[in-house]
Amino acid sequence: MEHPDHVARIQDEWRRERPDVDVAPQGVIGRLHRVASRLTDELTAVYAQHGLGEGDFDVLAALRRAGAPFERTPGELAAHTMITTGGMTKRLDRLERAGLVARRTAVGDGRGRVVALTPLGRETIDAAFAAHMANERRLLDDLPPDDAAALERILTAWLARLEP
C-alpha cells in the first residue's frame, strides 16, 4: 500500500502489530513533530548566516524587543527566552566575547547586573530578524492563506490549553 508520508507508514505498521491501540493521535502529533523539526532546521540555517545559534538569536531578539536602551537583567532575559538561567551565563559570555552585548552594574543596585545590546549587537539582530521574517514568510507561503490562518487559530487555542 502506498503511504502519503512517513507518519502514515508508521501508523499502518502499528495498526498491523497492535490493532488494540488507537494510533490516530500519531496523525497529528507525529506530523506536528516532524514539521517542527524541519522548521527548526530551516530557521537555524538563517541564524547561522548571521553567526548566531538559536539561543543567541533569542537573547539578542529579547534585548531588541525591550526597546531603547535595549537592555534587560539576566533574569528578565531568561523569562523572555527559552533559555534557563543556568544556560544564560554561558550564552551571555559568548555574546559578550563576540561584542554583541555588554554587561554592567545596574544603576542604584550594586549587586544587580544589566545586559545591553552593543551597536554591533543591534545591527546584527536587526539584519538577522529581517532575514528570519523573510524566511518564515517563505515557509508559510507553502500553505494557502486560509489554511495558514486556520492553523494559527487552532495552534493558538491548543497552546493555550497546554501552557499554564
Side-chain angles (χ1 to χ4, degrees):
M1 177 176 168
E2 187 64 30
H3 300 293
D5 62 28
H6 183 73
V7 174
R9 189 185 83 243
I10 290 171
Q11 285 179 290
D12 280 350
E13 290 171 353
W14 276 122
R15 282 187 190 103
R16 182 191 71 232
E17 294 300 314
R18 291 293 311 269
D20 58 311
V21 177
D22 176 17
V23 297
Q26 271 187 329
V28 173
I29 304 293
R31 287 184 181 93
L32 195 56
H33 183 72
R34 289 179 65 84
V35 165
S37 178
R38 296 298 301 265
L39 290 176
T40 297
D41 291 346
E42 294 284 339
L43 299 180
T44 56
V46 170
Y47 305 150
Q49 291 169 1
H50 295 271
L52 303 172
E54 189 172 22
D56 301 328
F57 180 90
D58 282 350
V59 169
L60 296 178
L63 289 169
R64 182 63 176 89
R65 290 191 317 267
F70 311 110
E71 59 186 34
R72 295 184 194 262
T73 67
E76 289 171 333
L77 283 173
H80 286 87
T81 64
M82 305 284 256
I83 302 162
T84 64
T85 51
M88 188 61 69
T89 300
K90 286 183 189 174
R91 177 125 11 239
L92 292 176
D93 287 346
R94 190 167 63 252
L95 290 170
E96 191 170 38
R97 280 193 307 273
L100 301 175
V101 303
R103 288 184 270 202
R104 63 171 174 75
T105 303
V107 175
D109 180 2
R111 295 171 299 143
R113 303 287 282 165
V114 173
V115 180
L117 279 179
T118 63
L120 177 60
R122 183 172 174 190
E123 180 181 309
T124 300
I125 192 57
D126 281 351
F129 179 69
H132 172 62
M133 285 295 95
N135 189 38
E136 285 194 350
R137 170 52 52 209
R138 175 187 65 83
L139 293 165
L140 203 53
D141 281 348
D142 283 343
L143 292 177
D146 288 350
D147 286 357
L151 185 57
E152 182 177 9
R153 193 173 55 256
I154 292 164
L155 292 175
T156 298
W158 193 10
L159 194 57
R161 291 181 184 96
L162 292 173
E163 289 186 337

